[in-house]
Amino acid sequence: MGKYLFVKRDDPNFKIDDEYIKEVEARYSFSFPDILRDYYLKHNGCDMYETRFEKFGIEFCVIFLYDLRYGKMPIEKVMEYNKDNDSIPTTFIPLAQDEDNDDFYWDSLSEKVYFLSLSNVEHPKEICGSVEEFFQLINDSVKEKENFYD
């Protein structure tokens, strides 16, 4: 997957390079999946279309993907905030947020993507088997909107 249909507009002020990604990986002892590394190199800090998808009979919404280094709430800031919360596994890396300030995380061990509701942090819900599958879900959401307006 080379094209991210959910990207609305890039912000050239938020560009990062591969060296910075490697620094984050070394600091936290994990490796980003290839698709996430590619996304950050091309679109870190972008505005995205609001996306909605359904899994398990539940509608999920994604309003933004967490940035590296920049923005109001970069990944590292969320990780620092979460480190004192024993309910969130240390292998969970912030990925995206929904309209209710609930978060999607990818697990750096299993590479699966989980949804964590603020009201039920102790019970993460597995959404996808990979970040690539998650990106496909939000890409498909944009495709459905485009077809709706055709």
Side-chain angles (χ1 to χ4, degrees):
M1 174 192 296
K3 187 170 183 182
Y4 304 98
L5 300 177
F6 53 85
V7 172
K8 184 190 257 183
R9 179 179 42 255
D10 283 319
D11 187 332
N13 298 315
F14 286 4
K15 292 289 181 195
I16 59 164
D17 59 21
D18 198 50
E19 287 305 311
Y20 184 73
I21 292 174
K22 288 177 184 174
E23 286 176 31
V24 172
E25 290 174 330
R27 189 174 311 124
Y28 293 101
S29 302
F30 66 80
S31 294
F32 287 108
D34 290 343
I35 192 165
L36 201 48
R37 175 183 295 277
D38 181 66
Y39 168 79
Y40 288 133
L41 289 172
K42 292 177 180 173
H43 302 294
N44 186 60
C46 76
D47 288 331
M48 69 175 280
Y49 294 103
E50 179 180 296
T51 61
R52 294 182 181 277
F53 62 89
E54 189 174 308
K55 291 283 278 193
F56 321 112
I58 301 168
E59 183 179 78
F60 294 94
C61 173
V62 177
I63 60 169
F64 71 85
L65 294 173
Y66 283 105
D67 302 328
L68 286 180
R69 183 185 280 168
Y70 302 109
K72 292 179 185 175
M73 191 59 71
I75 286 173
E76 292 177 271
K77 195 177 221 180
V78 177
M79 290 176 67
E80 284 299 311
Y81 178 78
N82 288 346
K83 77 178 181 183
D84 295 328
N85 186 339
D86 295 335
S87 298
I88 300 175
T90 57
T91 59
F92 275 28
I93 312 302
L95 179 61
Q97 192 171 89
D98 77 357
E99 61 197 349
D100 296 322
N101 296 319
D102 295 322
D103 291 316
F104 296 87
Y105 288 83
W106 68 273
D107 184 347
S108 61
L109 289 180
S110 70
E111 303 236 343
K112 294 179 181 179
V113 174
Y114 292 86
F115 175 76
L116 269 73
S117 170
L118 289 171
S119 63
N120 196 6
V121 174
E122 297 82 18
H123 298 95
K125 183 165 214 46
E126 183 181 326
I127 299 296
C128 303
S130 67
V131 174
E132 189 168 284
E133 186 181 336
F134 181 76
F135 278 10
Q136 190 61 54
L137 282 171
I138 59 179
N139 259 349
D140 289 348
S141 170
V142 173
K143 284 181 196 173
E144 288 174 15
K145 279 184 184 178
E146 288 174 356
N147 290 339
F148 179 75
Y149 294 112
D150 285 345

